Amino acid sequence: MTERVLEVHHLSKTFGKNVVLRDVDFRVDTGDVTCIIGASGSGKSTLLRCINMLETPTTGAVTFHELDITSRDVNVSQYRSQVGMVFQNFNLFSNMTVLENCMVGQMKVLKKSRAEARKNAMQYLEKVGMAPYINAKPRQISGGQKQRVAIARALAMEPEVLLFDEPTSALDPQMVGEVLAVMRTLAKEGLTMIIVTHEMAFARDVSNHVVFMANGVIEEEGRPEDIFGAPQKALTKEFLSRFMQG
């Protein structure tokens, strides 16, 4: 039986006079892989940042197990340990090794011992194929490897939901596949994920729910076979005709 984990209610976000999000509503159930697609500037990344409280919604709410995480008395660090995020540009600590990057959050936020944090970090670094590089600094590894470390770091916090903000857009084409392969594995294992992506084939094949955004609103959403196979809205059809290849 699926359980509602996260819900966005009538969320809007403005920066000065610029309206980036308008009255956005959607829900995520346990095990959902939700891909958010749309052109640059459609509000996708801002929506993800609002869900993770890196941006404060102007109006509306985000609920996690029916708790409004926009309320002032919510411990945002604790919430972020349950709803993790993988960024476009990795955001690794340059002065720390691969292993230390995956340990620090566990020790500071989850209050794990160094030994426990190390054991957990090693488990996830092995999972993403980065265990041989535990003593490397970020400058010594490739972009694809950095992103796999970033995924391991997020997984080491053992989140209930993992957010991905265009995780392959900063990578060279040959590195994209190695990151998507890790994400495919996570999807098969049942991790609840919300993924902002421009990888249309990945969105079509891996998600069970697709959200198409345009001009700060959800223009169309549904099952991938419906959105990609029989889109109803003109903007969706136009977008997919430009971005789907083959």
Side-chain angles (χ1 to χ4, degrees):
M1 181 178 166
T2 58
E3 180 191 358
R4 187 174 308 184
V5 178
L6 198 145
E7 200 160 9
V8 175
H9 308 265
H10 303 295
L11 190 141
S12 298
K13 179 64 181 175
T14 59
F15 295 97
K17 293 183 179 178
N18 185 20
V19 180
V20 180
L21 296 171
R22 286 178 292 169
D23 200 28
V24 173
D25 275 293
F26 76 99
R27 62 178 275 183
V28 176
D29 293 341
T30 307
D32 277 353
V33 177
T34 299
C35 282
I36 303 176
I37 61 172
S40 296
S42 59
K44 307 183 301 295
S45 290
T46 300
L47 173 57
L48 219 58
R49 291 174 68 83
C50 285
I51 290 172
N52 206 38
M53 289 303 290
L54 290 165
E55 300 286 355
T56 305
T58 306
T59 58
V62 178
T63 58
F64 179 64
H65 292 294
E66 300 188 1
L67 171 70
D68 182 2
I69 58 96
T70 59
S71 71
R72 289 184 179 178
D73 54 354
V74 167
N75 182 329
V76 174
S77 291
Q78 196 64 42
Y79 166 69
R80 287 190 189 135
S81 74
Q82 296 171 283
V83 180
M85 189 155 175
V86 175
F87 297 88
Q88 182 176 333
N89 291 312
F90 327 126
N91 287 19
L92 298 176
F93 296 113
S94 60
N95 62 326
M96 294 183 184
T97 65
V98 162
L99 181 59
E100 289 165 343
N101 263 283
C102 294
M103 288 171 60
V104 62
Q106 296 182 68
M107 295 183 333
K108 287 194 171 180
V109 179
L110 302 181
K111 309 300 182 190
K112 289 189 176 182
S113 69
R114 175 170 286 276
E116 193 180 3
R118 188 185 197 283
K119 181 181 177 184
N120 206 37
M122 285 301 303
Q123 176 189 336
Y124 288 108
L125 285 165
E126 283 171 16
K127 186 180 187 69
V128 302
M130 288 302 294
Y133 301 90
I134 60 171
N135 295 316
K137 295 284 181 70
R139 66 178 179 274
Q140 297 171 308
I141 58 178
S142 71
Q145 290 171 324
K146 287 177 191 171
Q147 194 59 291
R148 283 189 280 156
V149 172
I151 293 170
R153 177 179 62 178
L155 290 171
M157 302 296 283
E158 297 182 335
E160 192 172 342
V161 181
L162 197 48
L163 313 177
F164 291 84
D165 186 11
E166 303 234 20
T168 59
S169 64
L171 302 179
D172 293 334
Q174 66 269 27
M175 295 173 188
V176 169
E178 65 190 52
V179 173
L180 293 182
V182 169
M183 294 170 65
R184 285 176 190 272
T185 299
L186 297 175
K188 283 178 187 167
E189 291 174 354
L191 181 65
T192 307
M193 302 193 283
I194 305 175
I195 305 164
V196 169
T197 186
H198 62 280
E199 300 287 344
M200 294 297 117
F202 174 84
R204 181 192 60 207
D205 296 345
V206 176
S207 70
N208 69 315
H209 184 212
V210 176
V211 174
F212 170 64
M213 292 189 68
N215 306 312
V217 301
I218 292 178
E219 185 72 18
E220 189 168 355
E221 64 178 314
R223 300 179 306 169
E225 55 266 38
D226 296 330
I227 298 297
F228 289 99
Q232 300 299 303
K233 300 287 187 75
L235 282 176
T236 319
K237 291 175 184 174
E238 181 190 345
F239 173 80
L240 291 175
S241 69
R242 281 187 288 132
F243 284 89
M244 280 299 286
Q245 295 176 349

